[in-house]
Amino acid sequence: MTITQYGWNENWNKKWQENGVGAEEKNYVPGRIVGDFGSKYRVITETGETWGELAGKLRHSLGASGDYPAIGDWVVLAMLDGGAHAVIHGLLPRQSVISRKAAGNPPEEQIVASNVDTLFLVSALNDDFNVRRMERYLIMAWNSGANPVILLTKADLCDDADSKIAEMERSAPGVPIYAVSALRGEGREELVPYIGSGQTVALTGSSGCGKSTMVNWLCGRNLQLTQDIREGDSRGRHTTTHRELFIMPDGGIIVDTPGMRELQLWEDEGGLELAFGDISELASSCRFNNCSHELEEGCAVLAAVSSGELEEKRLLNYRKTQRELRYQNTKENKAKRKTAAASAKASPSRSRGGWRKELDEY
């Protein structure tokens, strides 16, 4: 396997030339993180796979958790021991970043995957089917910079798949939606445009929705362990415990990620308005520009709810998520100010110029 098979192309080579200050003189080489195991990473280079870890100076310079390398990142490597080991000295600028809020306080960003072209949002067609939850995943997808595609798995277990697809379409206008069944081998041909050579796709969804099964199916071999869901509530157990890249027969690259019991959104880069585009469009006809869509006269959104054009539950979820993101943004800003103040106090003369400056220090 080479980096070309894992997505290295002219675009990334251009970024390497633009950002790889001093890389040629220091014999640095590009690589991609294909496995994230916490303190160590599996990386792919032009000569094959090897283990990598952060350089001491780079580790010391990193601040928030979102600054650390993640699955899918293109990194700057120094090869040691004839290629048996690598040291990571920096990251190339990310093309897309799929992230969520990590559990606990203070609020921190947890990167699910980076440099993903298409994000498959997976939901099972069983008792765990949840449109409101998918709306949250869509916000994460639109914020990431990747293109969202909804996969409704386990279609063989559903007698009314068409009605559930229609329900999902009403809450995800403009987003491609496919019902698939790995057991019956149904729906794979519709996914071919997303999994071609050099394209990176990631799977995300709640535990038990069938992500690992999808990885095995799309790759044509058993790469990931799978577990049966609980019969009582159709909920699953965490099968995938780490993040890893796999090559598919069509030439695409796929990322499986651990399932989520609850998706806590990190921040909003316009994803809320894109995920609820129908509400945003209706809001443009409200009498007041700052309409909150709650009690105002002349509110086009409330009128659409009254007429049945807009589902009330969708509006309620929009309001709830909007409040959550505002509150989250307040906490993030407070935490950033606190961290910046502590950093300035500890190192008043230190300046962080990004990874390019770090390279110059070696």
Side-chain angles (χ1 to χ4, degrees), residues 278-280 282-283 286 293 298-306 310 315:
D278 51 346
I279 294 180
S280 299
L282 287 167
C286 290
H293 320 308
C299 176
V301 176
L302 293 179
V305 172
S306 297
L310 178 67
L315 175 58

Side-chain angles (χ1 to χ4, degrees), residues 7 66 96 118 120 165 201 203 210 247 263-264 297 304 318 333:
S96 62
T118 302
F120 285 155
I165 291 174
V201 300
L203 294 164
I247 299 292
L263 171 60
Q264 296 190 57
E297 292 184 6
Y318 171 79
N333 289 336

